[in-house]
Amino acid sequence: MRMMLRLVVCVAGVILLNITGSLCQLKVCGRAPLNPKIVGGQNADRGSWPWQASINYIPNGGLICGGSLINKDWVLSAAQCFQESTLTASTLIIYLGRQWQIGTNPHEISRNVAQIIIHPKYDPDTFDSDIALVKLSSSVTFNDYISPVCLAAAGSIFADGTECWVTGWGKLNFGDTTIPNTLQEVNISVVSNTDCESAYETLITDNIMCAGTTEGGKGACQGDGGGPMVVKDSRWIQSGITIFGANCTAPKYPGGYTRVSQYQDWISSVIGSDLPGFVKFQSSGFRSSTSLPLFCLSLTFSILPLIFSLFR
């Protein structure tokens, strides 16, 4: 009887610790006190996106991908960012609180990488489950310039037309040979998976969401891969992870983003304790799914990697 009581107490304690950790993250996640308003397609102000991570290569300091801080020890990114054999934990460094890739960043800290965990069902051909977790070598302390983003909880709904914001240091135009020095921000809208499938004439799985603009020219590009797409409710919630696009921001071709809400269980199982703040988001949108003009091009999965711009 005593052993059973101890077991019950132990299990209850573990559950309480997990709940407490998640609640603690909800108190701090998605707050950006230095970001009173947003305009798209321009330099971001310092501290506007305090969860933005820059994943860089240690030998030369070059940008590899973006990411997002989700608690004091973990960064969320895309699986595609870590596919090259030379990209191991020992060759990577993560910057937080960074505004400029070159120059002095007074609020910046850096961490080495302790572990990279790629989703076991990641499919590089279809971009399904293009998600990864990166553990920092040591914990960070939150402030106005470095704090975690909330994550979309399971069951979240992002209707066609929902406004989103994408951030990163990716190229400004397809074919550019350099990346911008200053962190960029851009405002785009969710595009239904039905419209996205019509544009690309191929399957867009439920684990992917699309966003962009009809006229093109706004969205993610090479170097933005792994970075966050967020929405604003009472706080900032990460809805997607940047993974693909057609020539970056081609007109009528929305970009693809890993649907974060599909991976709450996996993220929680990997992290174990001090869970991120998961927030259920629901939007009815403000644009009909037929309002996005589509230019159809026959594609097959076999040639998708040639058409899509991988954003790492």
Side-chain angles (χ1 to χ4, degrees):
M1 186 67 177
R2 288 182 177 178
M3 289 185 65
M4 180 62 71
L5 180 60
R6 287 175 183 173
L7 179 61
V8 170
V9 171
C10 182
V11 171
V14 171
I15 294 173
L16 182 60
L17 283 173
N18 282 335
I19 292 174
T20 302
S22 185
L23 289 176
C24 287
Q25 291 302 310
L26 284 173
K27 291 179 181 179
V28 297
C29 74
R31 312 290 186 185
L34 302 180
N35 185 359
K37 64 178 181 178
I38 285 299
V39 291
Q42 66 174 28
N43 293 345
D45 292 332
R46 281 186 291 176
S48 294
W49 311 104
W51 44 81
Q52 179 74 44
S54 179
I55 303 175
N56 292 55
Y57 193 46
I58 285 179
N60 58 22
L63 174 70
I64 295 171
C65 270
S68 53
L69 185 69
I70 59 174
N71 73 2
K72 61 184 176 60
D73 295 299
W74 290 89
V75 164
L76 185 66
S77 190
Q80 63 178 263
C81 296
F82 311 103
Q83 293 307 292
E84 293 182 13
S85 58
T86 56
L87 296 178
T88 62
S90 62
T91 63
L92 298 176
I93 188 168
I94 293 182
Y95 296 100
L96 297 163
R98 168 167 281 205
Q99 178 72 3
W100 301 287
Q101 286 293 325
I102 300 174
T104 302
N105 285 281
H107 305 289
E108 177 183 276
I109 64 171
S110 65
R111 291 291 186 272
N112 293 115
V113 173
Q115 189 177 14
I116 301 169
I117 300 177
I118 294 172
H119 195 282
K121 293 185 178 180
Y122 167 55
D123 185 338
D125 294 323
T126 64
F127 304 100
D128 199 54
S129 297
D130 195 347
I131 184 172
L133 285 164
V134 182
K135 188 172 186 180
L136 305 178
S137 57
S138 61
S139 301
V140 301
T141 300
F142 302 149
N143 56 48
D144 283 350
Y145 297 90
I146 301 170
S147 63
V149 67
C150 300
L151 298 182
S156 292
I157 298 174
F158 300 92
D160 187 44
T162 302
E163 286 192 317
C164 300
W165 289 261
V166 178
T167 52
W169 290 271
K171 296 178 180 179
L172 298 179
N173 298 287
F174 182 71
D176 283 357
T177 57
T178 59
I179 63 171
N181 189 44
T182 305
L183 180 64
Q184 300 292 298
E185 60 183 23
V186 66
N187 179 211
I188 55 178
S189 298
V190 171
V191 175
S192 72
N193 277 28
T194 299
D195 282 352
C196 201
E197 287 181 348
S198 297
Y200 290 109
E201 283 201 345
T202 193
L203 175 67
I204 302 296
T205 76
D206 290 339
N207 295 326
I208 295 172
M209 62 189 300
C210 296
T213 63
T214 302
E215 66 276 13
K218 295 174 69 175
C221 199
Q222 286 97 342
D224 288 321
M229 178 171 72
V230 298
V231 298
K232 181 69 181 291
D233 197 354
S234 59
R235 63 188 80 196
W236 292 100
I237 303 167
Q238 184 170 353
S239 54
I241 302 168
T242 303
I243 54 174
F244 72 76
N247 291 351
C248 293
T249 57
K252 305 163 188 173
Y253 283 92
Y257 301 81
T258 298
R259 192 181 294 267
V260 172
S261 60
Q262 294 285 84
Y263 296 95
Q264 179 175 352
D265 289 345
W266 179 73
I267 293 170
S268 298
S269 67
V270 171
I271 293 178
S273 61
D274 191 25
L275 297 180
F278 288 99
V279 178
K280 193 169 184 178
F281 181 90
Q282 291 188 318
S283 168
S284 59
F286 51 83
R287 186 180 65 189
S288 69
S289 63
T290 58
S291 65
L292 180 71
L294 300 173
F295 174 76
C296 295
L297 177 66
S298 294
L299 302 176
T300 63
F301 275 129
S302 62
I303 65 169
L304 277 177
L306 301 179
I307 303 297
F308 287 155
S309 301
L310 292 176
F311 284 160
R312 66 157 298 275

